[in-house]
Amino acid sequence: MEPWVEWTIMGGRAAVAWVIPLMLIPLLVWMERKASAYIQDRTGPNRAAILGLRFGGIIHALADVVKLIFKEDITPARARPFWYNLAPIVAMTFALLTFAALPFADVLRVGGHEIPLQALRLNPGLLWMLAIGSFGVFGIVFAGWGSNSSYPLLGGIRGSAQMISYELSLGLSVVGILMIFSTIDLNEIVRAQGKLLFGFLPMWGVVVQPVAAVIFMAAALAEANRNPFDLMEADSEIVAFHLEYSSLRFALFMMTEYVHITVASGLTVTLFFGGWQIPWLTTERLTGSAGDLALAVPALLVVLGLLVLLSLVLLAPTRRWHRTLQRLYVDARRHEAKFWTVVLLLQAIGALALGAYLFLNPPGADGLAAITAALQFVSFMVKVTFFGFAFIWVRWTLPRFRYDQLMALGWKGMLPLALANVVVTGFVLLLVGK
Amino acid sequence: MKVPSPKLTFWERIYVVEIIRGLGVTMGHLLKNLFRQSEMPTVQFPEEIKPVATRHRSRHRLTVREDGTPKCVACMCCPTACPASCIHIIAQEADAPWKEKKPRVFEIDLLRCVFCGFCVEACPEDAIRMDTGEVTIVGTRREDFIVGLDFLLHGEGNAWREGRPEEKPQPGPGEPLLPPSTPEEESGRGPRQVLRPKLPSAWETVREVKP
């Protein structure tokens, strides 16, 4: 390969790993506001509009950004400026770096070249995740110390104590996965989850290690500083560790929270829910490299068919919605449903056209590999988005733990359970004779 | 005081089952509100307006007789009863032989009004009522909220703000007064000054004597 092609691909891989968490921020913020509203029987954001298009309230994220940009950026007079300014940068940097090692599709084999579809192709990828992931708490500790204010300091201390307690359970729950798949290369772990257990069950981490999956998800919530473990941000008690921050520095902390969600759900998906695997369709079966029929094109046709079906099914509710809008509004918002009708129709036509093209011109080996990678990427993103939603869902369901309950759960509950899980897994592996 | 906490069963103590039940509850609400949006209790306010209760004390209005003249006889009962001193009446002699007075000026400062309804109770003629159902009284300056006879008799909605005089730029603190901008202002016969309610003792009843 030409060097410039190589460099472009490398830059592209890094950009994707950078862009996925950042692009998911507005989506997660929107989900948080809208899902919490519906859970609490409210309507949620539905006012901000561009040319009458409200996109279900997602424009409010844009309005928030504009507001945060134009707020005054304050450094408290008694703050420790170095730590104070470093904190948001550290928090965001390490949150984004953690995502770099996650594979978002299997290694792409095009024209005799191998392109790993993850920003950092590391053999010890899992160790990277654990190591860089625990650096995230430094942002909180620096913010607490640098603000030179009692509540943020409390938040920082709580953050560090919680991180120590839950990092242990997190690491130990992953040990079970290591013992079963005997690798710490994240892409290999995902590949191993494509095998079938008893001939029909995909060997996902959650199937072979259910206890570890529960412990890991709880600890991941704690790592992401989310409810019910948001002790460092407990609004009702200590306001937050970023109490003294305003404007874009606050925005960085805010965005870090959502990057943490993406990272936590990405890790959960990669280790326990098959990563980019589509159930029962491994890379070999999709590309047909094992010799049998390549299933990539049929799978893509099924996906496109579902897309067409969804678009057509949604046309009727859009029509009803149009009548409601006509009754309610006198401004540009009354035409919103027309826009969505056009979008749905274009989506259906586009999907049909792509399907027809693929049906008439069957792709070669390279095309099959590219389609496989695209399908796997979509599978990964669907899973990550679902678990991002699940974290939000948990937040609006559970109350916050009290500090002593948090410590009791971490040290007396999850840590012994994780250790027991390791021991039991070891015995079972010994008996199976693996 | 020691409050005994309820004894938890084993399944409650390991959290997981109860958490899944809780997640089911919240998901039920989410799905119900997602697919039954019209049943959501929220009222989309400017587009949908909930009617106020009939006994709600909203913006005042002055009632009229069958011939279209105001029922008000300028008896001064309502400004006397008003605890906020927001009603200002200047009376004049009525043209009918069977009533003594009628209002020449009847102004209510809606910003001062506390919507207590005492004026309605005090009125012997059923001339003032608070049953318009208007609760969104909007203006951009204080003068907008001083409403007069015309509006109280016939005004509907926010029509009272139409046709108001242009807002003049006000000099800031320490700046010189602005020069007069229109010939009327130059000659000292500017637009009618808004009569602001002063203390009740300073109010005067002007009786116009016919020649």
Side-chain angles (χ1 to χ4, degrees):
Chain A
M1 232 187 298
E2 302 271 332
W4 68 268
V5 180
E6 221 162 306
W7 281 98
T8 315
I9 289 171
M10 215 185 286
R13 279 159 52 195
V16 171
W18 189 259
V19 161
I20 290 172
L22 290 180
M23 284 292 109
L24 278 178
I25 291 171
L27 188 72
L28 287 169
V29 171
W30 171 75
M31 272 205 240
E32 177 118 88
R33 294 182 68 176
K34 208 72 180 172
S36 70
Y38 282 169
I39 283 171
Q40 299 172 344
D41 291 346
R42 296 182 283 114
T43 319
N46 65 352
R47 290 281 143 176
I50 294 175
L51 298 175
L53 294 173
R54 294 174 294 178
F55 293 94
I58 211 166
I59 302 291
H60 280 258
L62 202 65
D64 285 346
V65 171
V66 172
K67 184 196 88 169
L68 282 169
I69 287 175
F70 287 105
K71 284 193 110 170
E72 188 184 356
D73 193 8
I74 299 167
T75 306
R78 305 282 292 274
R80 302 180 171 88
F82 179 72
W83 304 112
Y84 180 84
N85 293 329
L86 191 63
I89 303 170
V90 166
M92 191 59 165
T93 310
F94 285 115
L96 280 175
L97 273 182
T98 322
F99 203 81
L102 286 180
F104 36 80
D106 201 3
V107 177
L108 182 63
R109 289 185 178 79
V110 181
H113 301 288
E114 287 200 356
I115 304 167
L117 290 182
Q118 65 198 98
L120 267 178
R121 183 93 166 95
L122 282 178
N123 280 339
L126 191 56
L127 294 186
W128 165 273
M129 306 291 305
L130 292 175
I132 301 294
S134 13
F135 268 114
V137 77
F138 276 88
I140 292 166
V141 175
F142 288 171
W145 178 247
S147 297
N148 202 1
S149 165
S150 31
Y151 284 141
L153 185 62
L154 271 176
I157 291 170
R158 284 176 172 200
S160 48
Q162 179 181 318
M163 184 60 74
I164 291 168
S165 320
Y166 282 78
E167 192 81 1
L168 280 173
S169 320
L170 189 85
L172 281 172
S173 64
V174 170
V175 168
I177 287 285
L178 295 189
M179 290 165 80
I180 286 183
F181 298 125
S182 10
T183 173
I184 48 174
D185 185 330
L186 285 170
N187 198 35
E188 288 305 315
I189 290 179
V190 178
R191 285 184 67 86
Q193 293 181 60
K195 288 180 202 141
L196 294 181
L197 203 62
F198 311 127
F200 67 98
L201 206 56
M203 208 166 103
W204 285 5
V206 69
V207 177
V208 289
Q209 286 279 303
V211 179
V214 171
I215 295 173
F216 184 87
M217 279 194 277
L221 276 176
E223 288 262 315
N225 313 330
R226 294 287 297 180
N227 251 15
F229 305 107
D230 65 339
L231 266 286
M232 57 277 278
E233 211 185 311
D235 317 49
S236 48
E237 306 164 21
I238 60 166
V239 191
F241 61 89
H242 48 55
L243 167 64
E244 304 287 351
Y245 287 85
S246 63
S247 185
L248 275 180
R249 280 184 244 235
F250 168 75
L252 265 183
F253 276 122
M254 179 89 184
M255 293 187 332
T256 306
E257 190 180 339
Y258 292 98
V259 174
H260 272 305
I261 293 181
T262 314
V263 169
S265 59
L267 256 178
T268 313
V269 165
T270 306
L271 294 177
F272 292 98
F273 290 89
W276 41 255
Q277 292 279 6
I278 307 164
W280 299 288
L281 292 176
T282 57
T283 316
E284 286 73 27
R285 294 184 74 179
L286 282 171
T287 53
S289 60
D292 39 322
L293 183 68
L295 290 174
V297 174
L300 186 59
L301 287 179
V302 168
V303 171
L304 290 175
L306 285 177
L307 205 61
V308 172
L309 205 63
L310 185 75
S311 313
L312 296 180
V313 164
L314 280 178
L315 276 177
T318 313
R319 186 83 202 132
R320 277 205 301 279
W321 184 43
H322 178 67
R323 284 200 291 275
T324 317
L325 289 178
Q326 294 293 319
R327 184 169 52 78
L328 268 183
Y329 298 117
V330 288
D331 50 4
R333 279 177 286 177
R334 64 186 294 145
H335 304 303
E336 201 181 359
K338 291 180 195 164
F339 173 80
W340 286 111
T341 311
V342 172
V343 167
L344 284 175
L345 286 175
L346 281 180
Q347 187 175 305
I349 292 169
L352 272 178
L354 187 58
Y357 176 80
L358 281 172
F359 193 72
L360 296 177
N361 307 300
D366 287 0
L368 279 176
I371 290 172
T372 305
L375 282 173
Q376 288 169 343
F377 180 71
V378 169
S379 163
F380 179 69
M381 286 315 294
V382 166
K383 289 178 191 174
V384 167
T385 316
F386 172 76
F387 278 94
F389 169 74
F391 284 170
I392 287 164
W393 181 16
V394 167
R395 171 172 180 186
W396 296 100
T397 303
L398 299 179
R400 188 184 307 125
F401 277 104
R402 214 169 51 211
Y403 190 72
D404 60 320
Q405 290 171 334
L406 179 90
M407 285 296 147
L409 179 70
W411 290 103
K412 293 188 203 158
M414 281 163 60
L415 185 59
L417 199 60
L419 279 169
N421 182 53
V422 170
V423 173
V424 170
T425 310
F427 271 117
V428 170
L429 284 181
L430 208 62
L431 286 177
V432 173
K434 192 174 173 184
Chain B
M1 195 177 90
K2 184 161 171 58
V3 180
S5 27
K7 202 88 179 129
L8 299 180
T9 62
F10 171 74
W11 291 109
E12 284 169 347
R13 260 185 294 131
I14 62 165
Y15 293 127
V16 177
V17 181
E18 291 295 307
I19 285 174
I20 290 170
R21 272 185 53 199
L23 288 173
V25 169
T26 46
M27 184 47 89
H29 276 263
L30 195 150
L31 292 178
K32 191 194 83 193
N33 289 321
L34 189 64
F35 292 111
R36 299 261 179 276
Q37 300 229 351
S38 52
E39 290 169 22
M40 227 187 276
T42 313
V43 175
Q44 297 297 326
F45 169 61
E47 291 89 20
E48 300 174 284
I49 295 175
K50 246 173 115 177
V52 292
T54 44
R55 55 182 235 176
H56 180 89
R57 294 192 294 269
S58 47
R59 206 239 322 135
H60 322 64
R61 73 181 170 105
L62 291 181
T63 52
V64 291
R65 294 174 201 281
E66 278 172 13
D67 61 353
T69 56
K71 276 189 183 174
C72 177
V73 293
C75 68
M76 296 293 164
C77 280
C78 53
T80 311
C82 183
S85 315
C86 68
I87 306 178
H88 181 210
I89 301 176
I90 299 178
Q92 71 183 50
E93 197 161 323
D95 32 17
W98 45 270
K99 62 175 173 179
E100 267 182 47
K101 298 188 286 181
K102 65 176 184 181
R104 192 185 64 158
V105 172
F106 191 113
E107 285 182 341
I108 299 180
D109 188 345
L110 293 174
L111 282 183
R112 294 192 70 150
C113 178
V114 293
F115 294 90
C116 61
F118 287 2
C119 49
V120 180
E121 299 297 325
C123 185
E125 297 283 324
D126 189 24
I128 186 165
R129 287 190 192 173
M130 296 178 79
D131 59 356
T132 51
E134 274 175 39
V135 285
T136 53
I137 301 165
V138 186
T140 50
R141 41 188 170 131
R142 281 155 200 269
E143 289 78 13
D144 287 346
F145 293 93
I146 301 175
V147 292
L149 202 51
D150 269 357
F151 172 65
L152 288 170
L153 283 170
H154 313 296
E156 273 179 21
N158 289 323
W160 49 285
R161 284 198 284 125
E162 287 169 12
R164 62 180 185 173
E166 279 295 306
E167 195 167 0
K168 279 189 296 185
Q170 297 295 319
E175 286 175 19
L177 289 173
L178 295 165
S181 51
T182 59
E184 285 91 9
E185 283 178 8
E186 198 118 33
S187 63
R189 292 183 289 109
R192 185 178 69 86
Q193 287 291 306
V194 177
L195 288 167
R196 318 190 120 268
K198 296 174 206 147
L199 287 176
S201 61
W203 288 10
E204 49 170 356
T205 310
V206 178
R207 182 183 289 264
E208 281 184 0
V209 184
K210 284 182 186 170

